[in-house]
Amino acid sequence: MDLRVLEYFLAVSRERSFSAAADVIHISQPTLSRQIADLEKHLGKQLFIRGSKTLQLTDEGMLLKVRAEEILQLVAKTENEIRTDQAEMTGDIYVGAGETPGVHYITLAASELKKKFPQIRIHISSGDQADLNWQLEHGLIDLALIFGDVDEENYISMKLPHEDVMGVYMRNDDPLAEKEKIRPKQDLKNKPLIVNRGSGKELIPGLPLSRFHVAGTYSLLYNASLMAEDGIGYVIGLKDIIRTEGTDLCFRPFDPEVKAKMYLIRKKQQILMRPVELLLEEIEKIMQ
């Protein structure tokens, strides 16, 4: 499959018109139409539903759109890595991170690194552990900042000296908000809980999630906070990720206290580009 044809396909999917896409990528409409027709023939699937005024992606077209974006992103990342000028020290660093103030270890280290090498660029994307593991496995990020246990068989980890307190976000007018701390076994029994989709089988270590009523899941906490604010349920999350001052929400920690440990991980057998190595060195300096 030609990368150029994937770029043509993405242009058509964005513009939803062969003529508009042809103008954007500066080729003739007949040539573009023929390229897409050849791609559909090669795949044996129809990619677009051709309407009177606009195009719509089929299910197979939607899948190809997602994969094509990933492929071209990985190609661009690989080209940048190969072109990195070791003498001038330029290049890109890609880090995926969960929502936590602990990201400051990355940003402070990146700030120090850019003082020495201004041409280095750092890109931080947000996601939960499922997102980050997938991106790491597919080479879309160099490092991932995660919570909880690390798969030591497949990843090299660096434990960061930061722990986030776990607890519950809820409405200020909820009866549980009168408590200073929440005892999960007693206080959350039969309550509608909204948990991170990567929670696995435990609400907190040693407490099976199967004992509770899960009303929903989330990947990033901001949207979950809206669910709590609108009364859908009690959100299980980390303290200080959502600012509750001046809102209808409050946060209450668990009793006994539960803290989430934080690790910076990378794939084993991964060849690190020099900018990534330098970032790791700066993080170690900050930790010391």
Side-chain angles (χ1 to χ4, degrees):
M1 191 180 299
D2 195 321
L3 294 178
R4 177 174 49 85
V5 176
L6 289 182
E7 292 174 345
Y8 291 171
F9 165 76
L10 288 177
V12 176
S13 68
R14 285 192 301 268
E15 301 299 327
R16 297 185 180 276
S17 162
F18 282 106
S19 59
D23 288 340
V24 169
I25 57 181
H26 307 297
I27 65 173
S28 68
Q29 181 178 338
T31 299
L32 178 58
S33 298
R34 185 172 62 254
Q35 293 281 1
I36 298 301
D38 289 345
L39 178 61
E40 290 179 318
K41 183 178 179 181
H42 172 71
L43 295 174
K45 297 289 183 179
Q46 183 179 352
L47 300 174
F48 293 100
I49 299 173
R50 286 134 171 102
S52 58
K53 294 184 178 180
T54 185
L55 300 173
Q56 297 292 330
L57 286 167
T58 63
D59 290 342
E60 292 80 8
M62 286 295 297
L63 175 60
L64 180 61
K65 180 176 182 293
V66 172
R67 293 291 184 257
E69 289 171 343
E70 293 167 356
I71 290 167
L72 294 177
Q73 182 181 350
L74 184 56
V75 168
K77 181 175 183 293
T78 303
E79 289 176 345
N80 285 336
E81 289 174 344
I82 293 173
R83 290 170 179 165
T84 294
D85 190 329
Q86 299 294 334
E88 294 295 332
M89 197 51 65
T90 64
D92 295 85
I93 303 170
Y94 294 85
V95 181
E99 295 175 296
T100 169
V103 172
H104 278 302
Y105 282 97
I106 308 297
T107 54
L108 289 171
S111 177
E112 291 301 313
L113 185 59
K114 285 186 69 64
K115 291 176 184 177
K116 302 172 184 176
F117 307 105
Q119 298 304 314
I120 289 179
R121 296 173 294 272
I122 182 160
H123 312 273
I124 299 181
S125 59
S126 298
D128 64 7
Q129 192 154 339
D131 293 326
L132 301 182
N133 285 343
W134 190 92
Q135 291 179 47
L136 202 57
E137 283 298 319
H138 288 78
L140 300 178
I141 56 177
D142 303 301
L143 306 167
L145 192 63
I146 67 166
F147 302 101
D149 297 330
V150 176
D151 178 2
E152 300 289 353
E153 184 176 345
N154 295 306
Y155 300 108
I156 298 172
S157 65
M158 174 192 295
K159 186 177 183 301
L160 301 184
H162 176 86
E163 295 180 342
D164 284 307
V165 174
M166 289 189 66
V168 186
Y169 289 92
M170 68 188 87
R171 288 184 57 88
N172 288 319
D173 56 7
D174 191 279
L176 280 184
E178 298 178 4
K179 294 176 174 285
E180 292 185 2
K181 295 184 178 181
I182 301 299
R183 298 173 299 169
K185 288 183 181 179
Q186 295 86 354
D187 298 330
L188 298 181
K189 185 177 181 181
N190 298 323
K191 294 289 194 298
L193 305 185
I194 302 168
V195 302
N196 187 281
R197 65 175 178 172
S199 297
K201 297 181 179 181
E202 294 184 319
L203 179 69
I204 58 175
L207 194 56
L209 192 59
S210 58
R211 295 185 184 180
F212 300 90
H213 168 49
V214 176
T217 63
Y218 68 90
S219 58
L220 294 177
L221 199 52
Y222 176 75
N223 287 340
S225 72
L226 299 182
M227 296 169 76
E229 191 172 345
D230 290 337
I232 295 175
Y234 300 80
V235 174
I236 310 302
L238 303 178
K239 183 180 180 182
D240 293 333
I241 307 302
I242 298 298
R243 301 296 182 186
T244 59
E245 298 84 358
T247 73
D248 293 330
L249 295 178
C250 64
F251 176 87
R252 297 293 181 264
F254 285 135
D255 182 22
E257 186 178 64
V258 179
K259 290 187 175 181
K261 297 179 180 179
M262 191 170 65
Y263 297 88
L264 189 64
I265 65 172
R266 64 184 190 272
K267 287 177 63 177
K268 284 187 175 179
Q269 314 303 325
Q270 178 182 356
I271 299 175
L272 293 181
M273 300 302 292
R274 185 57 180 156
V276 181
E277 292 180 339
L278 291 172
L279 178 68
L280 291 172
E281 291 173 7
E282 292 295 338
I283 293 172
E284 289 178 346
K285 291 178 185 177
I286 290 172
M287 289 169 55
Q288 294 169 1

